[in-house]
């Protein structure tokens, strides 16, 4: 039998009466509100140029994070397909079936770095 994870009756009253639960709830609700208020006050103190530069930095960070997520998904798909190629078409055993994936993805990374350097 699996235990019931939902508190019932006296367990719920005990949970709401514990100081750890109350303190945790306060931290989780007031912490983000205080952080957002401080951020808003800091942004209000900036000039228009500084505010535009901060927004540009935030946009770049988001773009960088999105690039990493999409590159990781593409690498996972590439690894799945290229391991099959290494196993079935090339007859490579367990650790060596990663060689086509590693070789092609490292080559793609090197080409990307060279293109980025040339674009600068």
């Amino acid at each position: 039998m699996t235990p019931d994870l939902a508190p019932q009756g006296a367990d719920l009253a005990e949970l709401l009466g514990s100081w750890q639960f109350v303190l945790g709830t306060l931290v989780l609700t007031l912490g983000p509100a205080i952080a957002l208020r401080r951020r808003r006050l800091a942004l209000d103190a900036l000039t228009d140029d500084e505010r535009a530069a901060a927004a540009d930095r935030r946009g770049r960070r988001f773009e960088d994070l999105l690039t990493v997520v999409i590159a990781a998904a593409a690498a996972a798909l590439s690894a799945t397909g290229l391991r099959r190629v290494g196993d079935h078409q090339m007859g490579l055993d367990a650790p060596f079936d990663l060689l086509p994936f590693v070789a092609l993805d490292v080559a793609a990374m090197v080409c990307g770095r060279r293109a980025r350097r040339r674009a600068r």
Side-chain angles (χ1 to χ4, degrees):
M1 249 184 6
T2 61
D4 188 15
L5 297 178
Q8 297 176 358
D11 293 336
L12 183 60
E14 183 180 327
L15 178 66
L16 293 176
S18 72
W19 67 271
Q20 293 98 342
F21 178 77
V22 173
L23 184 64
T25 304
L26 282 174
V27 167
L28 289 176
T29 53
L30 294 179
I34 291 170
L36 286 174
R37 185 170 187 270
R38 289 190 67 174
R39 180 178 174 161
R40 193 174 312 125
L41 289 173
L43 283 177
D44 288 343
L46 297 177
T47 65
D48 288 339
D49 292 336
E50 292 170 335
R51 193 174 297 127
D56 187 43
R57 282 192 304 272
R58 270 194 315 276
R60 285 185 188 160
R61 282 194 303 256
F62 178 73
E63 289 170 358
D64 290 345
L65 178 66
L66 191 60
T67 300
V68 167
V69 168
I70 290 173
L77 288 173
S78 175
T80 302
L82 288 173
R83 278 193 86 173
R84 287 187 191 141
V85 168
D87 185 28
H88 296 296
Q89 262 65 25
M90 299 174 77
L92 299 173
D93 289 332
F96 298 108
D97 62 349
L98 282 171
L99 286 176
F101 162 68
V102 171
L104 290 175
D105 276 5
V106 167
M109 185 177 65
V110 168
C111 289
R113 301 280 293 178
R114 290 179 62 122
R116 185 175 179 182
R117 185 181 61 205
R118 181 162 288 185
R120 283 186 186 164

